[in-house]
Structure formats: C-alpha cells, structure tokens
Amino acid sequence: MKTLTLLRHAKSGWDDPVARDFDRPLNPKGRRAAVAMGRHLRELGLSFDRVIASPAVRVTETAAEVEKGLGRALSPAWDRRLYLASAPTLLDAVHEAAADARSLLLIGHNPGLEELTMLLVPDTAGGLRDVVEEKYPTATLAEITFDTDDWTAVAAGQGTLTRFIRPRDVDPALGPDAH
C-alpha cells in the first residue's frame, strides 16, 4: 500500500510587490492556516517517508509554517518541476519516488494538484471526489491510497481518496469569508 498526500500551498499575498510570481510570500491568514494544518497533521498522527515540494516562496513558507504546527521537520526535497506543475508532471514525480517510501507528500500549486487528484481518483457519485471538484482551496490536503507497493504503478482511476481536509474544516475562522 502506498499513500500519496497532496498539500496545496497556503494563501499568498497578492498585495506584496514582487517582481515575479515565484517570489510571492504567504499572507497572515495563509501562515495561520499552514500552522493549523500542521497541528491537525500531528493530531491525526500523519507522517511522511518522503516530501517533495515546489521551491516557490509561498511553498517554502507553507512548509515552514506546517512544520511549526507539526512540531517536526518535513525536510522536503525541492524540485523546480513542481512549480505550477501540470498533473502529468506531478505524476512523473510520484513515479520517481523511492521504492522504499510508503508515504509521499507533494507540496505545490493548483490547478495541478486538483487535476492530479481528479485523475487518480475514480469518479463515483457522492464521494469525497465531488468536494475536490467543487474547489481545492489553499492549504488543503488530499490523501490518496493505492493498493500497490510500486510508485510506478500509480495510475489514473486507481486511487482511493481517504481524506480531503480544508483549513476551514480544522478551524472555521480560516473559512473563505473569515479574515
């Protein structure tokens, strides 16, 4: 069994005057959401054998804030291919994961993470996939399990979406209308 967890970066600051999108930092609400998600990961007892992340500033800051809430380092491998990556590029990263890693966390961007979730999880009525299809908000986590011991066997429609956790599910003050 392999477990793939996808974490979208937290809310970034569009008001920050940065020369390029890559350098956009988190805003205060994004920082709070990332810490809250880290605390929730700790409460759930989740851990990851391998973490791969986009090196964009908003992702590096998300990882750092999640670590604060989690109480331990994630120690991500920074992979520039994950910056604004498409679902096929993200799937390539999954296929390249070390065979001995049972759990893999990817930290990156939308729309790629949402598209990868939609690709990997079969469309069954009334499931968590319907919630993903509505919206994959910032700092949201999707956990997908696969009945395989080989990352290269991870393929379209073969996953089971076991968790889809939004910041507002952890703390209602982090919902879309709260500031």
Side-chain angles (χ1 to χ4, degrees):
M1 170 97 51
K2 298 288 188 186
T3 302
L4 173 63
T5 304
L6 307 173
L7 178 65
R8 184 177 174 197
H9 68 78
K11 188 170 274 309
S12 56
W14 285 95
D15 297 336
D16 283 296
V18 293
R20 44 186 207 149
D21 174 75
F22 186 89
D23 298 322
R24 200 159 21 93
L26 296 183
N27 69 20
K29 184 177 177 182
R31 290 183 185 284
R32 289 192 308 274
V35 171
M37 292 301 285
R39 275 195 306 268
H40 194 64
L41 291 174
R42 183 179 65 219
E43 290 165 6
L44 292 172
L46 297 184
S47 63
F48 311 100
D49 297 324
R50 180 115 167 92
V51 179
I52 306 170
S54 160
V57 170
R58 59 191 176 274
V59 176
T60 63
E61 290 182 355
T62 296
E65 297 299 323
V66 167
E67 288 174 339
K68 287 179 187 176
L70 188 58
R72 65 179 183 275
L74 291 171
S75 304
W78 306 106
D79 187 335
R80 187 146 182 105
R81 293 178 305 163
L82 269 58
Y83 174 63
L84 302 180
S86 65
T89 299
L90 292 168
L91 189 55
D92 286 346
V94 170
H95 288 159
E96 294 166 10
D100 62 344
R102 290 181 339 156
S103 60
L104 173 64
L105 170 63
L106 295 184
I107 310 173
H109 311 265
N110 250 8
L113 292 177
E114 180 178 338
E115 291 168 355
L116 182 61
T117 303
M118 302 301 284
L119 174 72
L120 296 175
V121 177
D123 190 4
T124 55
L128 277 178
R129 187 179 189 275
D130 292 348
V131 180
V132 176
E133 199 167 9
E134 281 177 34
K135 187 171 186 186
Y136 197 124
T138 53
T140 293
L141 176 145
E143 180 186 80
I144 307 167
T145 58
F146 299 90
D147 189 16
T148 183
D149 288 325
D150 183 357
W151 287 113
T152 63
V154 168
Q158 299 300 308
T160 301
L161 185 60
T162 52
R163 300 180 207 267
F164 187 69
I165 306 167
R166 302 163 298 192
R168 69 176 168 216
D169 299 328
V170 173
D171 179 352
L174 296 169
D177 298 327
H179 297 286

